[in-house]
Amino acid sequence: MFIHRFFRSLNVKTIDLRSDTVTLPSPAMRQAIASAELGDDVFGEDPTINKLQQMAAEITGKEAGLLVASGTMGNLVSILTHCSRGDEVILGDQSHTFYYEVGGIAALGGIQAHTIPNQPDGTLKLSDIATAIRPDGSHFPPTKLICLENTQNRCGGVILKPDYMNSVAELAKQNNLKIHLDGARIFNAAVALGIDVKELVKDTDSVMFCLSKGLAAPVGSVICGSAEFIKRAHKIRKMVGGGMRQAGIIAAAGIVALEQMIDRLAEDHKNANKLAHAIVQIKGFSINLDAVQTNIVYFDLDSEDITAQQVIEKAKQKGVLLLNLGAKTFRMVTHYGIESGDIETAISVLSQIMKTLK
Ligand SMILES: *Cc1c(COP(=O)(O)O)cnc(C)c1O
């Protein structure tokens, strides 16, 4: 806090690369929030929410959409809608749902996570999925659902391609399973591939995407699926405390996000690429450039003389914030509000720090 205030007093911009969740709403969003038409959404009467949900359904090519408070709530509500207590869901061991959602599906839904390894390209091997599907029989929990994540955060923001999605869908169909996609950053994937987002989600039964990450809205995520799925999800959202009344003030920013903030993600990808290619040049860091496909840059510290936390502290003193994801691993995420010049500043700060080590 003190450091932020200090830099603000010097009029030096803090370059916050910890996450795209730190994005602040655009001026157009603040205006839309101020003038949003509102109603009681638990009665389905908030026109702004209804508009957002319809837009989300159209963009994803699904029948219906549902605004939820967060991506975590969106995944939880979706999985609770697909599964009952004692059911099993197959998901990656690096998935957000397994890693970062407080075990909600087990704690609140009695649903068992059957994890299989995420490959470095973010995929789950088809043979691993096939092996994880339970046979019939009195010993086994019934497998109901496969969860995929696109872009895959912990694998570096890598992209799952339409042909891969299609082959998982074939397998799911053969085994009478549903597919839920954690598409927190699905628009990053679509923009990076230069394809319609519909192409990427057509093989899924439900998809969640975040308005509050790269799309820069202050709050909210949307789940999309069949009308029948969303009807059941609506009730489960209420059960977990997600009936939000005049939440059109949230949805208003979400509409602006979908209208104005998708195409500009290309700029974030360009900045991430520039950052990654500069990190390659800095002695003491190592990076897998193949994994830098969207707006996320993971890299490692090679030095034995210093910890990642020390590098982070030094960078923070110079106004550059990055995230520590392990003793030797950093994450930086580019987003709305980070300009090309900020990337140059961040690069120069990091290379200065590594130079003064020796
Ligand atoms: C951020 C994120 C979520 C959850 O979103 P919150 O709004 O933070 O709850 C889910 N999945 C992935 C891949 C994410 O990156």
Side-chain angles (χ1 to χ4, degrees), residues 21 69-73 75 96-97 101 149 151-153 182 184-185 208 210 212-213 220-221 331:
T21 56
S70 66
T72 299
M73 183 185 276
N75 285 333
H96 193 280
T97 297
E101 294 173 15
E149 185 177 312
T151 63
Q152 217 298 340
N153 178 1
D182 176 345
R185 296 188 182 82
M208 179 282 289
C210 291
S212 62
K213 294 196 168 159
S221 294
R331 191 186 81 168

Side-chain angles (χ1 to χ4, degrees), residues 50-81:
N50 291 342
K51 182 178 172 190
L52 170 68
Q53 291 176 165
Q54 200 179 340
M55 277 177 77
E58 268 163 32
I59 288 177
T60 56
K62 303 292 185 196
E63 286 174 5
L66 186 69
L67 175 68
V68 288
S70 66
T72 299
M73 183 185 276
N75 285 333
L76 176 66
V77 167
S78 298
I79 295 170
L80 289 177
T81 306

Side-chain angles (χ1 to χ4, degrees), residues 189-211:
V191 166
L193 291 174
I195 62 174
D196 193 325
V197 76
K198 288 188 193 84
E199 235 353 77
L200 277 173
V201 307
K202 68 178 182 338
D203 293 312
T204 67
D205 297 282
S206 57
V207 56
M208 179 282 289
F209 66 81
C210 291
L211 297 164

